[in-house]
């Protein structure tokens, strides 16, 4: 069997790691295509080396552009990649423009298409990620769902027969990194703050960065918090703040570059709380049992909210009060699986 994975953005490299390891262990031929959507070393190359992912076989180097131009550039190049590698499965990940381009090209050329992290819904049709995931799910032949909630969404859209619950591969990666940290194989970063004495934050979503008023309110919400806020600044956040004359490095904010994945996990584990609009980090917070405030109007990861470890601050002026209002209770709930999702993905692709 030959599987062709298409990735392009940071969270996809994290999801790719356990899949690449599981495919390699099973002796499956694995072709990795990097679209080049993320190209900074800190957003891309470092993830391959830190997470021991095979080097990409193909790099399309598309870079940044508007949605149509970026997705279209990938699509134009992927047709040739598919026909020259002639895979048994095309595997796409998550909800980025790289996911959609891979899905459309594979579907048009009649290559069997599998979607990892299928069935997530925010029901917010203004989010580019929502368009990407809905369109990809409906194009795919095999829907690999991370949660029972995702399975419910797929069934509600008439997709139950193509869906299978595998668990969340991000749990696989996180457990693996924590085990390596516990055994001293991976060291923790020195942030300059003691454990429990800082908040960790990431903000990058278009809903928060692209409207200057909203962006200013989010930044001011972080700057007003009562502990240092280690803000791992995504390039999109930095460039939008520069465009609108917003000074990021003021108040409580301690500005830092994006981190390598193991460093991020260690920093998240020791933070007093996390403030983010990232889907992945909300879940990582829960898995590490670090309280989280999500600066969005909704979340796909509703389990984290139901279990009391995550709360939405739709209005950025309420970030501080939402943080103070969180009341976390110990739980051994495992809505994101047991850390063995990648093995189930390989079984599903093999049809066993
Ligand atoms: C993309 C995904 C989003 C995902 C995120 C993870 C889409 C629609 N969005 O958002 O779902 O959560 O990745 O990070 O696919 N830039 C750089 N260097 C880079 C990458 C980006 O400077 O390596 C800057 C560019 O100015 C670019 C902007 O960031 O215009 C946005 O990048 P893009 O990849 O389009 O979207 P993200 O915001 O990263």
């Amino acid at each position: 069997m030959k599987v062709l994975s298409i990735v392009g953005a940071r969270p996809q490299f994290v999801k790719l790691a356990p899949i690449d390891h599981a495919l390699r262990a099973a002796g499956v031929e694995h072709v990795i295509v990097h679209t080049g959507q993320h190209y900074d070393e800190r957003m891309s190359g470092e993830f391959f080396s830190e997470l021991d992912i095979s080097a990409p076989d193909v790099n399309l180097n598309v870079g940044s552009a508007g949605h149509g131009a970026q997705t279209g550039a990938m699509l134009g190049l992927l047709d040739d990649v598919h026909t020259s590698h002639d895979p048994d499965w095309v595997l796409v990940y998550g909800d980025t423009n790289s996911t959609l381009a891979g899905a459309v090209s594979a579907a048009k050329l009649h290559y069997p298409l599998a979607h990892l992290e299928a069935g997530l819904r925010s029901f917010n049709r203004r989010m580019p990620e929502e368009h990407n995931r809905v369109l990809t799910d409906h194009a795919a032949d095999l829907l690999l769902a991370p949660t029972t909630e995702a399975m419910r969404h797929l069934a509600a859209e008439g997709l139950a027969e193509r869906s299978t619950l595998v668990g969340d591969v991000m749990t696989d990666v996180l457990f693996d990194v924590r085990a390596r940290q516990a055994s001293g194989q991976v060291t923790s970063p020195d942030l300059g703050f003691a454990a429990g004495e800082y908040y960790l934050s990431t903000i990058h979503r278009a809903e928060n960065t692209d409207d200057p008023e909203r962006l200013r309110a989010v930044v001011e919400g972080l700057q007003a918090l009562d502990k240092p806020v280690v803000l791992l600044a995504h390039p999109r956040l930095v460039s939008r703040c520069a465009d609108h004359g917003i000074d990021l490095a003021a108040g409580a904010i301690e500005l830092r570059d994006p981190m390598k994945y193991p460093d991020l996990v260690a920093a998240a584990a020791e933070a007093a709380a996390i403030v983010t609009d990232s889907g992945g980090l909300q879940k990582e917070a829960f898995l590490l049992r670090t309280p989280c405030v999500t600066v969005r109007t909704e979340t796909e990861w509703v389990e984290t909210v139901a279990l009391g470890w995550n709360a939405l601050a739709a209005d950025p002026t309420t970030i501080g009060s939402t943080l103070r209002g969180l009341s976390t209770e110990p739980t051994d709930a495992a809505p994101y699986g047991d850390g063995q999702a990648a093995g189930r993905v390989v079984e599903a692709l093999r049809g066993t």
Side-chain angles (χ1 to χ4, degrees):
M1 181 168 74
K2 187 197 274 192
V3 176
L4 185 146
S5 283
I6 299 171
V7 292
R10 184 170 54 171
Q12 294 169 328
F13 310 139
V14 179
K15 291 165 200 160
L16 174 65
I19 297 291
D20 184 46
H21 300 164
L23 287 172
R24 277 197 270 166
V28 175
E29 191 179 348
H30 189 203
V31 177
I32 298 177
V33 180
H34 187 325
T35 62
Q37 178 170 349
H38 285 176
Y39 41 86
D40 288 356
E41 184 60 14
R42 289 240 148 168
M43 301 290 286
S44 172
E46 274 187 357
F47 284 76
F48 282 78
S49 49
E50 286 295 322
L51 297 174
D52 186 30
I53 306 168
S54 311
D57 298 275
V58 179
N59 196 325
L60 304 179
N61 293 311
V62 297
S64 301
H67 291 295
Q70 187 182 54
T71 312
M74 296 173 194
L75 189 52
L77 296 165
L78 280 168
D79 282 4
D80 280 350
V81 173
H82 284 139
T83 47
S84 67
H85 287 277
D86 197 26
D88 298 298
W89 280 104
V90 173
L91 181 58
V92 295
Y93 300 67
D95 56 17
T96 74
N97 291 341
S98 299
T99 316
L100 180 63
V104 173
S105 172
K108 293 274 184 199
L109 296 173
H110 312 302
Y111 284 104
L113 173 68
H115 183 206
L116 183 78
E117 207 179 71
L120 293 190
R121 296 291 181 267
S122 66
F123 302 102
N124 177 354
R125 298 298 292 258
R126 295 194 58 84
M127 286 175 65
E129 293 82 3
E130 187 76 354
H131 316 145
N132 291 341
R133 57 171 88 102
V134 170
L135 293 167
T136 300
D137 280 342
H138 284 260
D141 303 288
L142 175 63
L143 298 164
L144 302 159
T147 61
T148 52
E149 179 80 5
M151 288 292 280
R152 268 196 291 279
H153 294 153
L154 293 168
E157 293 174 26
L159 300 172
E161 278 183 15
R162 293 185 248 160
S163 307
T164 179
L165 179 65
V166 288
D168 194 323
V169 293
M170 291 190 82
T171 305
D172 301 19
V173 194
L174 185 109
F175 285 3
D176 182 54
V177 166
R178 287 308 272 164
R180 285 195 285 140
Q181 277 163 347
S183 68
Q185 291 174 54
V186 190
T187 51
S188 302
D190 181 10
L191 294 174
F193 301 103
E197 291 304 319
Y198 65 93
Y199 300 126
L200 187 73
S201 182
T202 72
I203 297 289
H204 75 279
R205 279 192 196 270
E207 310 93 273
N208 281 329
T209 59
D210 290 8
D211 169 37
E213 261 179 56
R214 169 93 189 168
L215 177 60
R216 193 177 294 279
V218 171
V219 170
E220 286 175 1
L222 295 175
Q223 288 171 341
L225 293 181
D226 61 340
K227 285 186 183 17
V229 179
V230 176
L231 176 65
L232 308 176
H234 185 288
R236 181 188 200 103
L237 175 70
V238 175
S239 77
R240 296 298 187 275
C241 283
D243 292 348
H244 302 300
I246 297 169
D247 182 13
L248 266 175
I253 291 181
E254 297 279 338
L255 202 55
R256 303 289 161 88
D257 284 334
M259 281 179 171
K260 298 174 189 171
Y261 185 76
D263 289 355
L264 171 83
V265 169
E270 298 204 333
I274 286 171
V275 182
T276 190
D277 60 7
S278 151
L281 194 51
Q282 289 170 53
K283 251 181 318 169
E284 281 143 5
F286 172 75
L287 293 169
L288 296 163
R289 301 299 190 265
T290 300
C292 182
V293 167
T294 297
V295 189
R296 284 181 52 196
T297 45
E298 69 284 305
T299 177
E300 298 78 8
W301 305 108
V302 291
E303 303 83 4
T304 58
V305 176
L307 290 162
W309 286 82
N310 187 11
L312 297 172
D315 171 357
T317 62
T318 66
I319 294 173
S321 57
T322 309
L323 258 178
R324 288 188 294 280
L326 273 170
S327 64
T328 50
E329 299 279 344
T331 174
D332 53 14
Y336 304 118
D338 55 3
Q340 304 293 327
R344 285 187 209 103
V345 169
V346 176
E347 281 168 27
L349 292 172
R350 280 192 156 144
T352 52

